[in-house]
């Protein structure tokens, strides 16, 4: 892929997707833990639905951006990119499913609030099920993201399409998210590694977008070599 328009779209999607997911994460109330506390948190939130919509848009933009980034590999890295692609799709599907489960939680929380006190127990039980479903789907989404990042790292380090530091960062990030996600089953504190990995993932996403934008600029400049690749500070193509 060396046409300017898809790369510009991918770059814009990467930056917008990172911004949307960051904003959604920052404004999302802490709804984990005991369902009796969680249902009150969700009920009290006035931005819950809007926040979840922003998060869903961020997930979809990220899927599009990373798919376009993967299409930039034309040589040895292509097979690694293909190996990682199914995990990217799985990440987007389960992440979107978790966001939808969050939206259902809001409806259930509102129904719980409107119900008479002695009839709230069934709503709370269903709310707890939706909460557990969302948490489980987020678990799968993060695990799939870790596997995707491992494939992306191998592709970048195999073929010089993107700067090597992005590949090394993706490799570290795969370990942070994957191990943190698995260890969170037995130790809640391990989820901090997942959060750190998610922050690093957003940095990687923006960096990929910046490279796609620069590549699109070269592709649209008459007389410039439009072969896929990045340029170092000295101007040499790597």
């Amino acid at each position: 892929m060396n046409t300017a328009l898809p790369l510009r779209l991918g770059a814009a999607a990467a930056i917008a997707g990172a911004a949307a997911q960051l904003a959604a994460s920052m404004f999302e109330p802490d709804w984990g833990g005991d369902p009796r506390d969680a249902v009150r948190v969700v009920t009290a939130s006035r931005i819950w639905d809007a926040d979840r919509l922003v998060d869903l848009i961020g997930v979809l933009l990220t899927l599009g951006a990373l798919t376009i980034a993967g299409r930039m590999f034309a040589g040895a890295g292509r097979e690694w990119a293909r190996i990682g692609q199914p995990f990217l799709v799985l990440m987007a599907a389960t992440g979107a499913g978790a966001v939808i489960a969050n939206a259902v939680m809001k409806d259930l929380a509102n129904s719980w609030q409107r119900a008479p006190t002695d009839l709230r127990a069934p709503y709370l039980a269903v709310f707890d099920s939706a909460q557990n479903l969302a948490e489980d789907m987020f678990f799968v989404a993060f695990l799939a993201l870790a596997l995707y990042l491992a494939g992306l790292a191998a592709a970048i380090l195999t073929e010089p399409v993107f700067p090597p530091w992005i590949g090394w960062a993706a490799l570290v990030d795969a370990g942070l998210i994957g191990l943190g996600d698995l260890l969170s089953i037995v130790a809640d504190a391990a989820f901090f590694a997942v959060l750190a990995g998610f922050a690093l993932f957003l940095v990687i996403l923006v960096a990929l977008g910046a490279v796609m934008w620069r590549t699109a600029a070269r592709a649209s400049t008459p007389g410039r070599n439009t072969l896929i690749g990045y340029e170092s500070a000295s101007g040499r193509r790597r």
Side-chain angles (χ1 to χ4, degrees), residues 73-202:
F73 295 99
R78 176 180 292 182
E79 292 306 314
W80 285 111
R82 286 178 175 174
I83 290 173
Q85 186 66 24
F87 297 110
L88 174 62
V89 175
L90 177 61
M91 180 276 291
T94 51
V99 173
I100 293 172
N102 285 163
V104 173
M105 286 168 55
K106 180 62 173 176
D107 293 335
L108 292 170
N110 291 339
S111 298
W112 171 87
Q113 184 182 42
R114 291 191 296 264
T117 304
D118 57 340
L119 297 178
R120 287 182 172 181
Y123 291 102
L124 184 62
V126 179
F127 176 89
D128 186 33
S129 298
Q131 181 184 9
N132 290 333
L133 176 62
E135 291 176 345
D136 291 344
M137 295 191 78
F138 276 127
F139 175 85
V140 176
F142 280 122
L143 191 59
L145 177 58
L147 293 171
Y148 165 75
L149 286 168
L152 177 66
I156 293 175
L157 296 175
T158 300
E159 183 180 347
V161 171
F162 298 98
W165 74 264
I166 300 180
W168 290 114
L171 188 61
V172 171
D173 204 16
L176 273 175
I177 295 177
L179 291 177
D181 200 34
L182 292 173
L183 291 176
S184 67
I185 298 175
V186 295
D188 291 341
F191 195 71
F192 286 106
V194 179
L195 295 178
F198 180 69
L200 179 56
F201 169 68
L202 296 182

